[in-house]
Structures are given as C-alpha cells and as structure tokens.
Amino acid sequence: MFLAVCGIDAQNGITSDQPFETDINIAMIKRAKEVIVVADHTKIGKVHFTTIGCLSDVSKIITDAKASEKEVENFRRLGIEVIIV
C-alpha cells in the first residue's frame, strides 16, 4: 500500500494529525503486504499526536530532495529504503 502521512520520524514512527483516520490507517497497515510511505520533506522528522504505525511496518519511503539528509540517513540505518524523487 502507498500511505501518505502527516509525519514520519525515526524515533516516533508514523504519526497523524487526523485522529478520525487512525483506526482505518492502522487496519490498512496490518493488512498490507508492503507499506510504502509517501511524504514530502515537510513531513520527514515531524511528529503528531496520533501514532498510526511503527517503522518496522515500513519497507520504503518516497520523499523529495529537500528532505533532511540526517533524517534520511536515520531511516536507512533502520533498514528502510528511501527513494528521493
């Protein structure tokens, strides 16, 4: 599944500022064979109040070239493939 997120952080996982979507996102992540997070640079390293998934659920992150190199490297150290477009 491709999952657009409000925030993704190497320490706090996938987070959202949309609490009404939390249960749906959690259920979709659990059922997916592969989770690919789509997040522009403004979402990388951001943490919101509702957690919807762990980084262990994520196989790839697609982001843009403005993403923080430090944050990208943190994801790669965790074994997540980061694709910069």
Side-chain angles (χ1 to χ4, degrees), residues 42-62:
T42 65
K43 312 296 193 298
I44 303 293
K46 299 297 184 227
V47 179
H48 295 278
F49 59 90
T50 305
T51 299
I52 60 173
C54 301
L55 290 181
S56 60
D57 298 323
V58 178
S59 63
K60 296 179 181 123
I61 298 171
I62 300 173

Side-chain angles (χ1 to χ4, degrees), residues 72-85:
V72 167
E73 185 57 33
N74 288 338
F75 295 128
R76 288 181 173 149
R77 283 188 193 130
L78 294 170
I80 300 170
E81 180 182 353
V82 180
I83 301 167
I84 299 178
V85 293

Side-chain angles (χ1 to χ4, degrees), residues 8-47:
I8 184 165
D9 178 74
Q11 295 173 339
N12 296 287
I14 309 166
T15 59
S16 176
D17 60 3
Q18 302 295 318
F20 301 109
E21 297 176 3
T22 300
D23 292 338
I24 293 167
N25 286 324
I26 290 170
M28 290 190 311
I29 290 168
K30 285 182 181 178
R31 302 279 303 198
K33 291 180 182 178
E34 181 179 16
V35 176
I36 301 169
V37 169
V38 180
D40 69 31
H41 70 278
T42 65
K43 312 296 193 298
I44 303 293
K46 299 297 184 227
V47 179

